[in-house]
Amino acid sequence: MTSDVMKSDSEKFCLECGAKIRRAAEICPKCGVRQFTPPLGGLGAVAPNGKSKIVAAVLALFLGGFGVHKFYLGQPGLGILYLLFCWTFIPAVVAFIEFIILLTMTDDAFAAKYGQS
């Protein structure tokens, strides 16, 4: 392994560009993206693109029948599909199931699935 890939205890990798930066750095000097520290606890997960697990879950619970949570999570095609069939109440049932899935999803799984822009 090269020294470019290895990092010391006082360093971390930028969440956006992957450059080595100081662990205490709030902004990456290479790409200028603000670094964040994931909140403690399971409900407050925030993906690298800023999407919040708790916001997505609340949207799925209250406005999921209209697909609002799908638009929030960057899936506009599914959001439109939910809107087209909202009168059948099937999207509302599916959204309630997705609400439960979002609440039980690990932070890493949420970031992997919805963390892309």
Side-chain angles (χ1 to χ4, degrees):
M1 228 174 193
T2 65
S3 63
D4 292 337
V5 177
M6 297 178 69
K7 63 178 177 61
S8 68
D9 290 339
S10 64
E11 296 175 321
K12 66 181 179 180
F13 292 111
C14 172
L15 297 170
E16 183 68 25
C17 69
K20 277 194 312 187
I21 58 175
R22 292 182 306 117
R23 183 167 298 282
E26 291 185 22
I27 297 176
C28 175
K30 183 177 179 187
C31 66
V33 172
R34 181 169 298 280
Q35 305 298 302
F36 69 93
T37 54
L40 299 174
L43 293 178
V46 176
N49 62 356
K51 303 293 183 189
S52 169
K53 186 167 89 168
I54 192 69
V55 170
V58 169
L59 288 173
L61 180 63
F62 293 111
L63 299 171
F66 300 108
V68 175
H69 66 297
K70 292 296 185 183
F71 288 107
Y72 175 75
L73 292 173
Q75 300 173 330
L78 288 174
I80 291 170
L81 191 65
Y82 277 53
L83 274 174
L84 289 175
F85 291 97
C86 68
W87 60 274
T88 66
F89 296 105
I90 293 171
V93 173
V94 174
F96 182 74
I97 294 168
E98 290 175 336
F99 162 73
I100 294 170
I101 291 170
L102 284 167
L103 287 182
T104 60
M105 184 180 284
T106 64
D107 297 350
D108 293 333
F110 180 80
K113 187 169 185 179
Y114 302 110
Q116 309 308 321
S117 294

